[in-house]
Amino acid sequence: MPSSTRSLRILGVDPGLTRCGFGVVDMDATRKASLVRVGVAGTQAADSLDARVLHIQEHALAWMRELRPDVMAIERVFAQESVNTVIGTAHASGVVIAAAASLGIPVAWHTPSEAKAAVTGDGRADKASVGRMVTRILGLEAMPRPADAADALALAICHGWRSGGLGTGYDMTAGVQTHQGSIPARATRTGLTPAQRAWREAERSGRRGAGSGGVGRR
């Protein structure tokens, strides 16, 4: 039987062409998160679109192959003030999702407000507040910078706390309209990987051992 200390590795991605944030955390069955790695893949606006997209994809694949996340949590793209920003974010998001799919890594989507609410308690929190809380939650000596890196970690933490870390087992954004106009019909359950099944059993064991097993907001 898995130990209650079995951790799940979650890769959070804050997609963008100029700066794409990546953050990996290990989360145990008690929902305690610890930092594995955080960083940013950057590209230059003067470079061709195909070269920029390729760089983001290669960076994502390198992280996934080396760190072997059990699940990837990525920000769901919404309409913003700048159409160019939305398009660029969508390009980056697409290649990162494709990279995960090529390696069989489950993908989960979370909105910016969900990630903010998960780590700060306020879905409208600013980036500085998110960065400070991510630093506190992970017990870091300094705030991850740039903000894209902290946002990626917030997405990973959000996924572990809000959905139990179990891949795409529950779509937190079901019924939410994206900028493309698509509305997921309903939340769906999907098959779990062996690592995810082990994490779920460890989580249940941890809850039985701790009594209530609830996670307080940090």
Side-chain angles (χ1 to χ4, degrees), residues 131-142:
R132 285 193 295 269
M133 285 308 299
V134 164
T135 302
R136 179 181 174 186
I137 291 165
L138 297 176
L140 306 178
E141 294 183 356

Side-chain angles (χ1 to χ4, degrees), residues 25-153:
V25 301
D26 282 343
M27 186 168 290
D28 66 23
T30 68
R31 299 292 208 281
K32 178 177 174 56
S34 58
L35 175 67
V36 177
R37 185 183 298 174
V38 63
V40 171
T43 67
Q44 300 297 319
D47 294 339
S48 64
L49 176 61
D50 54 341
R52 299 178 74 187
V53 169
L54 178 61
H55 178 74
I56 298 297
Q57 183 184 48
E58 290 177 337
H59 195 90
L61 283 169
W63 275 59
M64 293 173 193
R65 286 169 175 157
E66 179 180 351
L67 300 178
R68 299 176 176 272
D70 296 302
V71 59
M72 183 180 80
I74 189 168
E75 182 179 296
R76 184 179 288 275
V77 181
F78 276 80
Q80 302 174 25
E81 293 183 5
S82 171
V83 174
N84 289 336
T85 299
V86 174
I87 294 174
T89 301
H91 284 317
S93 180
V95 295
V96 173
I97 292 168
S102 71
L103 297 177
I105 298 171
V107 178
W109 289 264
H110 297 279
T111 67
S113 60
E114 286 170 353
K116 292 176 182 179
V119 300
T120 72
D122 181 1
R124 297 182 179 180
D126 58 23
K127 287 185 176 293
S129 298
V130 171
R132 285 193 295 269
M133 285 308 299
V134 164
T135 302
R136 179 181 174 186
I137 291 165
L138 297 176
L140 306 178
E141 294 183 356
M143 187 185 303
R145 296 186 184 280
D148 312 82
D151 288 347
L153 290 172

Side-chain angles (χ1 to χ4, degrees), residues 196-217:
Q196 292 165 342
R197 286 195 294 271
W199 196 89
R200 180 174 61 182
E201 292 304 317
E203 181 186 42
R204 288 173 177 169
S205 296
R207 285 176 177 172
R208 287 195 293 268
S212 63
V215 178
R217 190 173 278 135

